[in-house]
Amino acid sequence: MRCLVTGVSGFLGSHLVRKLVSQGHEILAVARQTSDLWRLNDVRERVSFVSASLNAIESAHTEIVQFSPNVAFHLAWTGGNSSAFSNQPGQVFENVPGSLALVRILAEAGCEVLIYAGSSLEYGRFQIPVVETDISSPSSLYGAAKYGTEILVQGLSRIYGMRFCGVRIFWTYGPMDDERRMIPSVILSLLNGRKPRLTEGAQLWDFLFIDDAIRALTLLSETKGAEGIFNLGSGEPVAV
């Protein structure tokens, strides 16, 4: 397949690119000009890159149309790595318009399948187990922007004839994770002889190893009957 991937410098995107490379797919990776691509050092020579931020995705219009992807994985998102940015206005202004512009460009390029990386935070506060038919009530601007973008992109995909999968991702972890996230931050604290900064740990989180998350994304792209909204987690929440 010809696969377009946004957000390739991130934890999820870099692992996805590496998996697609191993499967022999042709890849056009979209990344900001300032992105640190260290996670892709071992596969960079096997990937084609185009420089564009999500809020200026139009600058990559020509390259995307010429590449003519069969499948697009839209993982890019500004301000998604830290709770410090969860209620910043940029969640809306820097992410929503670019995502919609990307769909229009993909339609022009003849893309057949769009996989959109959503978030469990689209639900807001939820009861366990949470299912895809539960009503979404985001409690942060991040969750609201993810949810609003998901609904709009799904509608546009339907109009443009693209098969759409919105994937609400729970807590992935694994090699090359952002050091600010809980599991790597605890590991680094212990390795450096420091006491980790933790709460009582009563929260129930659904952790999913990164390889399993990537397998789910690739299976969704390959499975013709897969369409709509999917929760992506282990299904077995554990106390922190």
Side-chain angles (χ1 to χ4, degrees), residues 116-155:
Y116 168 77
S119 169
S120 62
L121 297 181
E122 293 177 46
Y123 290 108
R125 294 185 178 274
F126 52 79
Q127 298 297 315
I128 296 173
V130 60
V131 296
E132 289 86 347
T133 53
D134 287 349
I135 296 174
S136 295
S137 183
S139 56
S140 67
L141 202 54
Y142 170 76
K146 277 286 189 183
Y147 178 59
T149 301
E150 177 186 80
I151 297 302
L152 291 169
V153 169
Q154 184 177 27

Side-chain angles (χ1 to χ4, degrees), residues 172-236:
T172 54
Y173 71 96
M176 299 188 293
D177 198 354
D178 190 307
E179 64 181 20
R180 294 170 293 182
R181 299 180 72 180
M182 196 198 76
I183 290 178
S185 69
V186 168
I187 292 172
L188 288 172
S189 293
L190 295 173
L191 287 175
N192 291 313
R194 299 193 307 268
K195 182 178 179 179
R197 297 175 59 190
L198 298 171
T199 65
E200 293 180 357
Q203 309 96 313
L204 289 175
W205 281 18
D206 187 331
F207 291 104
L208 184 67
F209 188 60
I210 186 64
D211 289 357
D212 297 318
I214 297 305
R215 181 168 179 265
L217 293 177
T218 56
L219 283 174
L220 285 173
S221 71
E222 298 163 0
T223 306
K224 293 183 178 180
E227 192 163 6
I229 306 301
F230 297 87
N231 287 339
L232 181 52
S234 69
E236 299 178 2

Side-chain angles (χ1 to χ4, degrees), residues 95-130:
N95 293 303
V96 180
S99 296
L100 302 183
L102 175 63
V103 178
R104 177 175 48 79
I105 296 170
L106 291 172
E108 184 178 339
C111 185
E112 301 163 6
V113 182
L114 175 55
I115 309 297
Y116 168 77
S119 169
S120 62
L121 297 181
E122 293 177 46
Y123 290 108
R125 294 185 178 274
F126 52 79
Q127 298 297 315
I128 296 173
V130 60

Side-chain angles (χ1 to χ4, degrees), residues 1-5 69-73 111-115 221:
M1 297 186 298
R2 292 186 304 281
C3 303
L4 178 122
V5 185
N70 308 113
V71 178
F73 297 87
C111 185
E112 301 163 6
V113 182
L114 175 55
I115 309 297
S221 71

